[in-house]
């Protein structure tokens, strides 16, 4: 198709050029004189007329020599103008008549006259035919010119049409590529939309399954406060069927009254405020009303429900807290009973400690009197027995004090206060009995913490004294330091004494446990138990790290959240 159009276009183009050249040539000749234009034609006609006239004169009058002048008219067909046909006809007529007069006499008159008349008729008949032919030729040329003009116009239009057709094909091809790309994009989008729709349906199904299977109540509201959906668990808690709740005013149905039975105005309801103000609310102590008119204590969360950026309602999740309320009531009763029992136990501990201390003081005083009054009578053996008696009485006295302190931990009303831990440790060290063979070092920095001061003093004193008492070497060092962790301060009491075997790491924090009673008979086995109880009741933990024969390190933590101000 493209080859045919290209050939046709080339043919039209050449023909237009040829036609224009011919028109331009014709136009150029118009400016020439008729003599210059027809000189060869006139010369030919002259020679032809002379020849025929000579021939006519040579023939007898009876011979139809005048018919030869028809050739002059026929040759005139070569001329462009029609008038030459008539001119040659007139010339032929004149020469025919002149030949009659100049020809030698002879022949019969009627034959000669008939011959000449016949020649004239033939000449003029031929002239008429030639004239008609020229007329038709001019009409044909005129029509041909019009056709050529139309052809040139059509050729130009065809070239323009071909140009626009090519541009159109390019645009069609470009648009086809765009449509193909758009079609592929739309196919992907449709596929993605179908996949998203399927996933959305699956998610909706999963959500519906989860909501229906949830152990809490879930229902939705529109902007008029009417229930749009409710899960079976929520309907069962309220004593309704799901169909009985949908489309009904939620407030009038289940939230019309307060716990004391007074009217609950709709304008004050936080469930309605969720979609009215676009805010989520969590309420822990209200009641919904069952179908049978009984209240059910609930905890609920009311949140606005959006479609795009527009609030279309609210969704409420609630749970029955009747069991929780009962547990809280029982807990309050138990806490009250426990507080009374703790008070009774504390009073009992003080009474027992007082009753036990009195005989011990009597034993200690009497043994000292015996040593003073009967020292000579008792002898060395008696003195040792009395010394042992006094020592055991004093040890029993300290043991009772330790038990009383352990019982009081957690029951005292001592408040936490800012404590400079470094200053506190330095004060404890200053009042300890001097030990020349053991150096005690405080490694800075030591932070300021918020802690009950007396309890913190008991912790540091017990750990430092424990390190000195069970050092087990002639010379060494005790180091107190602190490191910062993410949420805690971690205090460390380290010594390079005899260490503790790994199997005893848990045992040393139990009551009345002492690993070396022979070297430290004065130890009651209560100190580390007291430390553990104090640390844990104040939000920390304690543990020991040790390598037997190398070192021991007690670590305990203090929460930072109370210390950040």
């Amino acid at each position: 198709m493209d080859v045919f159009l290209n050939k046709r276009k080339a043919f039209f183009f050449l023909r237009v050029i040829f036609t224009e050249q011919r028109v331009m040539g014709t136009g150029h000749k118009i400016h020439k004189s008729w003599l210059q234009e027809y000189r060869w034609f006139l010369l030919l006609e002259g020679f032809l007329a002379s020849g025929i006239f000579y021939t006519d004169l040579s023939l007898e009058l009876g011979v139809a020599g005048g018919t030869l002048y028809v050739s002059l008219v026929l040759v005139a067909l070569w001329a462009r103008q029609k008038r030459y046909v008539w001119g040659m006809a007139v010339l032929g007529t004149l020469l025919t008549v002149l030949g009659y007069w100049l020809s030698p006499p002879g022949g019969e008159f009627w034959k000669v006259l008939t011959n000449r008349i016949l020649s004239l008729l033939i000449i003029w008949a031929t002239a008429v035919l030639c004239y008609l032919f020229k007329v038709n030729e001019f009409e044909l040329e005129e029509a041909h010119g019009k056709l050529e003009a139309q052809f040139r116009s059509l050729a130009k239009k065809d070239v323009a049409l071909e140009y626009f057709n090519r541009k159109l094909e390019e645009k069609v091809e470009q648009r086809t590529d765009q449509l193909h790309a758009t079609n592929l994009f739309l196919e992907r989008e449709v596929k993605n939309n179908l996949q998203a729709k399927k996933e959305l349906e699956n998610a909706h199904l999963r959500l519906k399954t989860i909501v229906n299977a949830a152990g809490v109540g879930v229902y939705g509201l529109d902007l008029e406060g009417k229930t749009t959906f409710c899960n079976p668990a929520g309907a069962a808690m309220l004593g309704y069927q799901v169909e009985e709740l949908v489309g009904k005013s939620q407030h009038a149905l289940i939230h019309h009254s307060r716990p004391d039975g007074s009217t609950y105005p709709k304008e004050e309801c936080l469930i309605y405020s969720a979609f009215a103000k676009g805010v989520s609310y969590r309420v822990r102590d209200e009641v919904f009303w069952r179908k049978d008119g009984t209240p059910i204590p609930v905890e609920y969360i009311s949140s606005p429900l959006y479609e795009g950026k527009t609030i279309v309602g609210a969704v409420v999740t609630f749970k029955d807290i009747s069991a929780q309320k009962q547990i809280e009531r029982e807990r309050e009763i138990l806490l009250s009973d426990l507080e009374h029992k703790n008070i009774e136990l504390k009073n009992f501990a003080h009474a027992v400690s007082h009753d036990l201390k009195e005989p011990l003081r009597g034993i200690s005083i009497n043994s000292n009197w015996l040593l003073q009054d009967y020292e000579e009578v008792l002898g060395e053996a008696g003195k040792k027995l009395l010394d042992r008696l006094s020592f055991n009485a004093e040890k029993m006295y300290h043991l009772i004090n330790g038990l009383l302190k352990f019982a009081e931990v957690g029951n005292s009303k001592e408040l936490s206060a800012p404590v400079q831990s470094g200053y506190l440790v330095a004060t404890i060290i200053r009042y300890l009995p001097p030990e020349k063979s053991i150096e005690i070092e405080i490694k800075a920095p030591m932070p300021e913490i918020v802690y009950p001061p007396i309890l913190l003093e008991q912790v540091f004193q017990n750990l430092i004294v424990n390190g000195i008492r069970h050092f087990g070497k002639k010379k060494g060092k005790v180091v107190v330091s602190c490191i910062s962790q993410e949420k805690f301060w971690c205090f460390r009491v380290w010594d390079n004494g005899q260490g503790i075997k790994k199997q005893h790491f848990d045992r040393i924090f139990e009551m009345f446990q002492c690993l070396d009673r022979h070297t430290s008979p004065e130890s009651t086995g209560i100190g580390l138990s007291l430390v553990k109880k104090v640390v844990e009741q104040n939000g920390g933990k304690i543990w020991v790290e040790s390598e037997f024969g190398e070192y021991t390190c007690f670590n305990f933590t203090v929460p930072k959240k109370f210390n950040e101000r």
Side-chain angles (χ1 to χ4, degrees):
M1 184 67 180
D2 292 338
V3 174
F4 173 74
L5 290 173
N6 291 333
K7 288 182 177 179
R8 184 181 177 190
K9 179 175 70 176
F11 172 73
F12 285 171
F13 182 71
L14 290 174
R15 186 166 182 179
V16 167
I17 293 174
F18 174 76
T19 304
E20 289 179 350
Q21 288 179 349
R22 182 178 176 184
V23 172
M24 290 174 63
T26 304
H28 181 69
K29 288 180 180 179
I30 290 173
H31 297 288
K32 295 180 180 180
S33 66
W34 67 271
L35 186 60
Q36 290 176 336
E37 184 178 0
Y38 294 105
R39 62 183 182 274
W40 297 108
F41 170 74
L42 294 174
L43 185 61
L44 176 62
E45 289 283 12
F47 279 118
L48 183 61
S50 299
I52 295 173
F53 186 72
Y54 178 77
T55 303
D56 187 26
L57 292 178
S58 302
L59 296 175
E60 297 180 359
L61 289 174
V63 179
T67 57
L68 296 176
Y69 292 106
V70 173
S71 59
L72 294 176
V73 177
L74 293 175
V75 172
L77 290 173
W78 291 95
R80 290 183 59 82
Q81 283 80 11
K82 299 186 290 292
R83 63 178 179 269
Y84 290 106
V85 175
W86 301 120
M88 291 303 105
V90 170
L91 180 60
T93 302
L94 291 174
L95 291 175
T96 301
V97 174
L98 185 60
Y100 172 76
W101 293 106
L102 296 178
S103 296
E108 298 180 2
F109 175 77
W110 64 273
K111 289 182 180 181
V112 174
L113 184 60
T114 302
N115 182 8
R116 293 298 168 176
I117 293 172
L118 183 62
S119 297
L120 293 174
L121 291 175
I122 292 173
I123 289 170
W124 285 100
T126 303
V128 170
L129 292 175
C130 288
Y131 179 79
L132 294 176
F133 177 80
K134 293 297 287 183
V135 170
N136 290 332
E137 184 182 19
F138 274 106
E139 291 179 352
L140 288 174
E141 285 184 357
E142 186 179 358
H144 182 263
K146 292 181 179 179
L147 288 174
E148 283 186 344
Q150 292 179 357
F151 179 79
R152 285 194 301 272
S153 176
L154 289 175
K156 292 179 180 178
K157 290 181 179 179
D158 187 71
V159 172
L161 183 62
E162 177 64 21
Y163 172 77
F164 287 116
N165 183 51
R166 186 171 65 254
K167 291 294 184 181
L168 182 61
E169 287 180 351
E170 292 176 356
K171 290 185 178 180
V172 167
E173 184 177 358
Q174 182 181 4
R175 187 59 179 168
T176 301
D177 293 339
Q178 292 176 352
L179 290 174
H180 181 66
T182 304
N183 186 51
L184 292 177
F185 173 76
L186 290 175
E187 286 181 356
R188 288 194 299 269
E189 286 297 308
V190 168
K191 185 178 180 181
N192 292 337
N193 288 339
L194 291 175
Q195 182 67 25
K197 182 179 179 182
K198 184 177 180 181
E199 292 177 357
L200 185 62
E201 290 176 351
N202 292 335
H204 179 72
L205 181 60
R206 288 194 299 269
L207 180 61
K208 185 177 180 180
T209 302
I210 293 171
V211 170
N212 289 337
V216 297
V218 183
Y219 65 86
L221 299 176
D222 59 18
L223 295 178
E224 295 180 357
K226 294 181 179 179
T227 307
T228 55
F229 70 89
C230 183
N231 69 334
M237 288 185 204
L238 300 171
Y240 288 93
Q241 297 294 324
V242 174
E243 296 77 12
E244 295 179 292
L245 294 172
V246 175
K248 303 294 179 58
S249 173
Q250 174 268 349
H251 189 80
L253 206 62
I254 65 171
H255 205 204
H256 46 79
S257 301
R258 299 183 187 275
D260 58 3
S262 61
T263 302
Y264 199 156
K266 188 176 180 179
E267 295 74 16
E268 299 177 10
C269 177
L270 296 181
I271 294 175
Y272 278 71
S273 297
F275 60 77
K277 299 180 180 180
V279 180
S280 295
Y281 296 94
R282 181 167 189 167
V283 181
R284 301 179 182 274
D285 192 13
E286 278 198 6
V287 297
F288 287 166
W289 295 86
R290 294 189 181 94
K291 184 178 180 180
D292 59 7
T294 57
I296 169 177
V298 295
E299 177 183 343
Y300 69 82
I301 299 175
S302 178
S303 303
L305 186 62
Y306 290 89
E307 282 188 4
K309 295 183 179 181
T310 304
I311 297 177
V312 296
V315 61
V316 180
T317 59
F318 68 94
K319 64 179 179 179
D320 183 355
I321 58 172
S322 300
Q324 182 178 338
K325 288 286 187 180
Q326 180 64 28
I327 292 172
E328 289 178 357
R329 286 192 292 270
E330 293 177 356
R331 177 174 171 273
E332 290 175 359
I333 293 172
L334 289 174
L335 287 175
S336 179
D337 292 342
L338 182 60
E339 186 176 357
H340 288 301
K341 289 180 180 179
N342 282 334
I343 293 173
E344 292 176 358
L345 182 61
K346 182 179 179 181
N347 294 333
F348 174 75
H350 280 284
V352 169
S353 65
H354 180 270
D355 292 343
L356 289 176
K357 286 179 181 179
E358 285 299 323
L360 289 175
R361 279 195 292 268
I363 293 172
S364 178
I365 292 172
N366 289 326
S367 62
N368 288 329
W369 286 347
L370 287 173
L371 283 173
Q372 293 175 5
D373 296 341
Y374 300 99
E375 181 178 0
E376 297 179 357
V377 178
L378 293 173
E380 291 299 326
K383 288 180 181 180
K384 289 181 179 179
L385 289 174
L386 287 175
D387 287 338
R388 184 176 296 177
L389 179 63
S390 297
F391 176 78
N392 287 331
E394 186 177 358
K395 182 178 179 181
M396 187 65 183
Y397 185 85
H398 290 303
L399 180 62
I400 293 171
N401 283 336
L403 287 172
L404 185 60
K405 288 180 181 180
F406 186 85
E408 287 179 346
V409 172
N411 294 323
S412 64
K413 301 297 182 180
E414 184 179 2
L415 299 177
S416 298
V419 180
Q420 292 289 344
S421 59
Y423 177 78
L424 178 67
V425 174
T427 303
I428 293 171
I429 294 172
R430 188 162 55 249
Y431 288 104
L432 287 177
E435 292 285 344
K436 294 183 180 181
S437 61
I438 299 176
E439 178 187 357
I440 303 176
E441 178 186 351
I442 303 173
K443 194 171 183 179
M446 294 288 284
E448 179 185 275
I449 62 174
V450 177
Y451 214 82
I454 295 176
L455 296 181
L456 185 62
E457 182 181 354
Q458 290 179 351
V459 171
F460 276 118
Q461 184 170 350
N462 275 285
L463 292 177
I464 294 171
V465 170
N466 185 78
I468 295 172
R469 181 179 294 164
H470 303 286
F471 200 82
K473 292 182 179 180
K474 293 182 180 180
K475 190 176 182 180
K477 190 175 187 179
V478 176
V479 179
V480 181
S481 62
C482 180
I483 58 174
S484 176
Q485 297 177 346
E486 183 178 358
K487 297 181 180 180
F488 295 90
W489 294 111
C490 181
F491 290 94
R492 300 162 60 90
V493 179
W494 177 92
D495 68 77
N496 57 351
Q498 63 181 347
I500 302 172
K501 293 181 179 180
K502 191 173 182 178
Q503 61 266 30
H504 300 312
F505 283 1
D506 294 329
R507 179 186 167 195
I508 58 175
F509 292 106
E510 296 176 1
M511 289 279 289
F512 308 119
Q513 296 296 323
C514 184
L515 300 182
D516 50 357
R517 289 190 182 276
H518 298 293
T519 57
S520 302
E522 70 278 7
S523 176
T524 62
I526 297 177
L528 290 180
S529 302
L530 178 66
V531 168
K532 182 180 180 183
K533 188 174 182 181
V534 170
V535 170
E536 290 179 349
Q537 287 192 352
N538 285 276
K541 64 178 181 177
I542 185 169
W543 69 97
V544 65
E545 299 171 354
S546 180
E547 187 70 32
F548 188 69
E550 298 293 332
Y551 72 91
T552 301
C553 183
F554 284 92
N555 304 271
F556 71 94
T557 59
V558 175
K560 281 184 177 181
K561 62 181 179 179
F562 300 113
N563 304 308
E564 296 175 354
R565 295 181 294 171

